[in-house]
Amino acid sequence: MGALDPEVASWAPGGAAGMAGAGAGAGARGGAAAGVEARARDPPPAHRAHPRHPRPAAQPSARRMDGASGGLGSGDNAPTTEALFVALGAGVTALSHPLLYVKLLIQVGHEPMPPTIGTNVLGRKVLYLPSFFTYAKYIVQVDGKIGLFRGLSPRLMSNALSTVTRGSMKKVFPPDEIEQVSNKDDMKTSLKKVVKETSYEMMMQCVSRMLAHPLHVISMRCMVQFVGREAKYSGVLSSIGKIFKEEGLLGFFVGLIPHLLGDVVFLWGCNLLAHFINAYLVDDSFSQALAIRSYTKFVMGIAVSMLTYPFLLVGDLMAVNNCGLQAGLPPYSPVFKSWIHCWKYLSVQGQLFRGSSLLFRRVSSGSCFALE
């Protein structure tokens, strides 16, 4: 969610940008919502829509087209299709990695360049922090162009594992074919359909998130080493050994809970809002009703991803907190006792949306920077 989590996709319309993470997730939540339409069937004669009762559009779930039953990835071509999605996902992940890298450094509070004086729409002087492009240029000056892809390998592995997990789950637990609602008198059935599809998608998202999270943690820590110029986490295997030795198994799952909560809130919020808007607010008599309904899910995905961004931020900060890296220790960050402690701290500081914007980054009133 810029707040789309690249991980979620996973959340965002189109899948990989999430944001979305992000998903960063989008994450998240990179984090989402190009749905797979269930096949429409004509209702029996007794339930055909009356002219005075227009039919609502069926609501697809926030599910990506990565092997759904009856769609892409089914039948004998399933392995090939799954490999194609993994390859496409890897390409999008690699292209979007510099964006997520800069975003993470901003999230942990690393501001190596001073702000510049600008004016807002009212003509008042304000301080602006460097945009994504200026920040990326700075990274290139320090580490070269290859430096923009620090931490990419574990992230590629994390996204590939997530995609394969979702495909495997669809084979083991194939989604039931749900008949679409045919008229407005049957809104109870329509809501049940949305709830069932969202519950199925939530199960897949949570399982894939849990399995891929250890690699996500490694990727985050590799990237924030830029802050203190450390080299503690240099490879996937060596990083696994260090985390297990210093933190045990729980070290691989720090920050998992806020990411899961963000995924769940996003899926339910996006699907239910789109369902109620299309069913109750979009009138079938309007000539552009179908076009409006086709974009409802996309718009809701952006809106909900903004609301769930704090979950992405807290999850990423917890992944690097108190792990022996400068970015996760004072003065950059207190040592948090839990993700709730982290949330409360950011809330008091007015920083729950830190890093959500990468272009126009205005200095907050509580910042140490001030106008001369």
Side-chain angles (χ1 to χ4, degrees), residues 153-222:
S153 296
R155 185 166 172 241
L156 287 173
M157 297 171 64
S158 173
N159 288 358
L161 179 59
S162 177
T163 301
V164 172
T165 300
R166 294 171 70 91
S168 300
M169 289 187 64
K170 286 181 178 180
K171 295 176 184 177
V172 178
F173 305 102
D176 296 330
E177 185 176 339
I178 304 174
E179 186 174 355
Q180 293 186 0
V181 179
S182 60
N183 59 63
K184 205 164 186 176
D185 294 332
D186 202 8
M187 296 310 299
K188 184 176 180 181
T189 302
S190 175
L191 182 59
K192 286 182 178 179
K193 167 185 174 292
V194 174
V195 169
K196 190 170 184 178
E197 289 190 348
T198 306
S199 299
Y200 180 81
E201 175 65 14
M202 179 183 67
M203 176 192 68
M204 290 198 303
Q205 179 63 30
C206 289
V207 173
S208 63
R209 169 72 72 178
M210 287 187 289
L211 292 179
H213 192 74
L215 290 168
H216 173 75
V217 171
I218 294 173
S219 178
M220 297 292 103
R221 295 185 180 185
C222 287

Side-chain angles (χ1 to χ4, degrees), residues 265-289:
V265 172
F266 175 86
L267 287 171
W268 284 99
C270 184
N271 283 351
L272 290 178
L273 284 174
H275 166 72
F276 287 120
I277 289 175
N278 285 345
Y280 294 104
L281 299 182
V282 181
D283 192 344
D284 282 348
S285 62
F286 183 56
S287 60
Q288 300 297 323

Side-chain angles (χ1 to χ4, degrees), residues 231-244:
K232 182 178 180 180
Y233 300 94
S234 56
V236 175
L237 294 179
S238 61
S239 298
I240 291 175
K242 285 185 176 68
I243 294 176
F244 182 76

Side-chain angles (χ1 to χ4, degrees), residues 98 134 148 248-249 254 286 288 329 332 340 352-353:
T134 305
L148 288 172
L249 286 175
V254 288
F286 183 56
Q288 300 297 323
L329 295 170
Y332 283 96
I340 298 178
L352 276 175
F353 291 89

